[in-house]
Amino acid sequence: MQIEPTSDFTPASDALGVRLAHWLRLPNQEQRAKLWLRIRRNWQLYALLFLPIVWLIVFRYAPMYGAQIAFRDYSPAFGIEGSPWVGLANFVRFFNSPKFEPVIINTLVLSFYSLIAGFPIPIILALSLNQVKTRLFRSSVQMITYAPHFISTVVIVGMLFQFLHPRVGFTAVLANALGLNAPNWMGDPGAFRHIFVWSGIWQDMGFSAIIYLAVLSTIDPALHEAAVVDGASRLQRIRYIDIPGLMPVAMVLLVLSTGRVLEVAFEKVYLMQSPLNLSVAEVINTYVYKVGLLSPILDFSYSTAIGLLKGVVGLLLIIAVNHAARRLSGSGLW
């Protein structure tokens, strides 16, 4: 016996087709006319948007075509299309490599160390500056804290080598004055992670605090006035007014930061590396660079597979952390 579907029954495939048709429907003539009218009225804004879109297409979307190198035994002589498919062989090779475990561990330790230590400090700095009433002092602290952001990475690493030099550095002079042996901080594997993370926090905390200061400036002053009338202390106003006002933006930035958890700053790590600290300083980005461009046999497929794996893991982390943030705080990236 054949059962006829009722009028209120829609198969899952039909429902999906209706949704796709709704999303992909072409605008009618009236909608196109309204669109062109908006473009003519605001052509300056669209002109400003043109170059960023071109940059996004050329440098972000067009290179995705080359991601298939990760699944091929790529040779520049044959090109992408002429190189044979090898499937997941490059990924399996990375998983079985003796470098897999130390590289992944070093990357995760540096990333989560930077995230855990560096995420709350700009918030604390912004909350502190927001309570300062002396405008000159507040502006001076802001300028001093965000100025290091504009120093190049090469200069920052050069400063670290000079300050922490075992013979002529600041720490060497201090150790000699105390009658101690000057440590070689930049060559000490145990000190590498701390130097990397805290120098990065010093460089970026002021610039990151600007976002939170902008959010704090949008909080209604009437809330603080009412809290003062009710007898709330300064710490109570920070806890119950300022911090809840910062949470939506903080959650978005946390989700974005977690998605880049495998994107350890390549330039800084590479410049700080030495044979003495390489056991803790080799991360995914530097390993890919060395395998793909510095090895005697340039292995483009292998390095591309590692980079693609890193991107997939970052995407999964963004989705997971955004879901957790929405469940815990009610706000997220989407």
Side-chain angles (χ1 to χ4, degrees):
M1 181 178 64
Q2 185 177 4
I3 301 176
E4 296 292 336
T6 58
S7 59
D8 58 347
F9 174 77
T10 303
S13 59
D14 292 346
L16 180 60
V18 171
R19 289 185 179 182
L20 290 176
H22 177 73
W23 290 338
L24 301 177
R25 71 181 188 277
L26 297 176
N28 55 35
Q29 185 175 1
E30 181 181 358
Q31 291 173 331
R32 289 196 297 269
K34 291 181 178 179
L35 175 62
W36 283 112
L37 180 61
R38 289 198 300 267
I39 293 176
R40 285 196 300 269
R41 287 179 176 177
N42 305 286
W43 67 269
Q44 299 93 338
L45 299 178
Y46 287 98
L48 290 174
L49 193 62
F50 176 74
L51 287 180
I53 291 177
V54 170
W55 178 88
L56 193 67
I57 293 174
V58 172
F59 292 102
R60 294 298 181 183
Y61 284 94
M64 290 183 182
Y65 172 77
Q68 60 180 298
I69 293 175
F71 305 96
R72 295 178 181 268
D73 184 11
Y74 175 73
S75 173
F78 298 103
I80 296 178
E81 298 294 338
S83 300
W85 283 95
V86 295
L88 301 176
N90 292 311
F91 297 92
V92 174
R93 176 185 168 191
F94 179 56
F95 293 146
N96 295 330
S97 170
K99 286 284 189 178
F100 173 75
E101 184 175 348
V103 165
I104 293 296
I105 291 176
N106 293 339
T107 303
L108 292 178
V109 170
L110 279 180
S111 297
F112 281 108
Y113 187 3
S114 301
L115 182 62
I116 295 172
F119 182 74
I121 290 181
I123 298 177
I124 296 172
L125 177 62
L127 291 172
S128 302
L129 290 175
N130 191 56
Q131 297 297 319
V132 175
K133 303 304 180 183
T134 306
R135 185 172 182 178
L136 178 61
F137 179 77
R138 175 178 173 176
S139 302
S140 301
V141 172
Q142 278 188 268
M143 182 186 66
I144 293 171
T145 54
Y146 75 64
H149 177 80
F150 300 98
I151 303 175
S152 69
T153 303
V154 176
V155 175
I156 289 291
V157 175
M159 292 169 58
L160 291 175
F161 273 103
Q162 290 297 321
F163 293 155
L164 304 177
H165 196 279
R167 290 194 303 272
V168 297
F170 170 76
T171 57
V173 173
L174 182 60
N176 292 332
L178 297 175
L180 303 174
N181 293 326
N184 184 11
W185 295 111
M186 298 302 291
D188 183 6
F192 172 82
R193 290 167 177 165
H194 304 296
I195 296 172
F196 176 85
V197 170
W198 290 103
S199 62
I201 293 174
W202 166 74
Q203 185 179 8
D204 294 327
M205 66 177 181
F207 190 81
S208 301
I210 294 176
I211 301 175
Y212 300 110
L213 285 171
V215 176
L216 290 172
S217 66
T218 63
I219 295 178
D220 190 356
L223 296 176
H224 285 279
E225 295 171 0
V228 171
V229 172
D230 291 339
S233 66
R234 183 171 296 183
L235 290 177
Q236 288 174 327
R237 284 186 281 130
I238 291 175
R239 178 181 177 183
Y240 295 107
I241 298 177
D242 291 339
I243 293 180
L246 288 177
M247 286 306 295
V249 175
M251 287 298 102
V252 171
L253 295 178
L254 178 62
V255 172
L256 294 175
S257 299
T258 307
R260 296 192 297 268
V261 72
L262 298 181
E263 290 286 344
V264 180
F266 163 76
E267 297 89 352
K268 188 175 181 181
V269 174
Y270 186 71
L271 292 171
M272 291 179 63
Q273 282 181 355
S274 70
L276 298 175
N277 60 23
L278 194 59
S279 60
V280 296
E282 189 76 281
V283 296
I284 292 179
N285 286 342
T286 58
Y287 180 63
V288 169
Y289 173 70
K290 293 174 182 177
V291 170
L293 297 177
L294 297 185
S295 60
I297 301 176
L298 303 181
D299 202 337
F300 297 110
S301 297
Y302 183 53
S303 58
T304 304
I306 300 173
L308 183 60
L309 179 65
K310 181 183 65 176
V312 172
V313 172
L315 175 62
L316 295 177
L317 283 174
I318 284 182
I319 296 174
V321 174
N322 182 75
H323 179 70
R326 290 194 64 85
R327 289 182 63 89
L328 294 175
S329 65
S331 59
L333 190 58
W334 68 84

